[in-house]
Amino acid sequence: MSKHPVTLTVNGRPHAIEVEHRKTLADALREDCRLTGTHLGCEHGVCGACTVIVDGAPVRACLMFAHQAEGAQIRTVEGLATGETLHPLQQSFIDHHALQCGFCTPGFLMLAVAALERDPEMSDAELVEVLSSNLCRCTGYVNILKAVRAWAATQAAAPAPAPA
Ligand code: FES
Ligand code: FES
């Protein structure tokens, strides 16, 4: 099958790659951009392991074609930390023992970051609803919720940005 040039902007960096029209964003990130932090579980939109953020929204990268993401700002788990400093939600996952094998972790991180960046004052019920869309086969949901709730509390308490 013929390949076509696509430029994906991932974590602020352009990746000029060549992909088949039907190549998924998840496969392009992993195989062509060499960003293997985005995991693939079910590959048909059920588990959420492949969740990335596209233009601010959580997206299942196994359900999107790479060429559909051209021109968008894509964020993956590799972009969460700043140098050696983990994103506070990553640190919260460690502090609350929110991972076992870690396979589902990138998806949960990107899902929660997208949801709480959009709505830092999300209610606990809404947060549970959002997180229920991803699966953890190690059944670590209680600690995942604890970790996200702890970070959500700091988000809600943060001062609102000053008006421009
Ligand atoms: Fe994409 Fe499961 S791998 S939802
Ligand atoms: Fe293993 Fe979630 S920690 S699948």
Side-chain angles (χ1 to χ4, degrees), residues 4-60:
H4 303 269
V6 172
T7 300
L8 297 181
T9 305
V10 190
N11 303 322
R13 244 196 81 203
H15 292 258
I17 58 177
E18 295 209 348
V19 295
E20 293 160 3
H21 274 314
R22 293 186 60 78
K23 188 159 202 172
T24 65
L25 177 58
D27 283 339
L29 288 170
R30 291 178 55 83
E31 295 167 9
D32 302 288
C33 303
R34 305 281 178 202
L35 294 169
T36 54
T38 299
H39 290 169
L40 274 169
C42 66
E43 298 190 55
H44 56 269
V46 175
C47 71
C50 64
T51 305
V52 298
I53 302 175
V54 178
D55 285 341
V59 164
R60 298 195 170 203

Side-chain angles (χ1 to χ4, degrees), residues 98-105 108 135-141 144:
L99 60 146
Q100 293 182 47
C101 77
F103 190 84
C104 66
T105 308
F108 272 105
L135 300 178
C136 172
R137 64 189 170 185
C138 302
T139 63
Y141 299 107
I144 290 171

Side-chain angles (χ1 to χ4, degrees), residues 18 20 31 33 38 44 48-49 57 65 78 87-88 109-110 117 134 142 146 162:
E18 295 209 348
E20 293 160 3
E31 295 167 9
C33 303
T38 299
H44 56 269
F65 293 124
E78 287 90 348
H87 184 282
L109 288 169
M110 301 317 285
E117 282 182 355
N134 280 24
V142 170
K146 277 187 197 162

Side-chain angles (χ1 to χ4, degrees), residues 43-129:
E43 298 190 55
H44 56 269
V46 175
C47 71
C50 64
T51 305
V52 298
I53 302 175
V54 178
D55 285 341
V59 164
R60 298 195 170 203
C62 70
L63 293 184
M64 186 174 200
F65 293 124
H67 72 85
Q68 290 177 300
E70 187 155 36
Q73 293 295 327
I74 304 161
R75 292 165 64 195
T76 66
V77 72
E78 287 90 348
L80 286 185
T82 306
E84 296 295 306
T85 306
L86 291 177
H87 184 282
L89 182 58
Q90 290 176 305
Q91 187 59 53
S92 191
F93 265 58
I94 294 172
D95 295 344
H96 293 87
H97 308 288
L99 60 146
Q100 293 182 47
C101 77
F103 190 84
C104 66
T105 308
F108 272 105
L109 288 169
M110 301 317 285
L111 178 66
V113 165
L116 285 161
E117 282 182 355
R118 277 186 154 188
D119 182 5
E121 310 224 332
M122 180 175 283
S123 71
D124 193 60
E126 288 169 328
L127 192 56
V128 171
E129 174 75 22

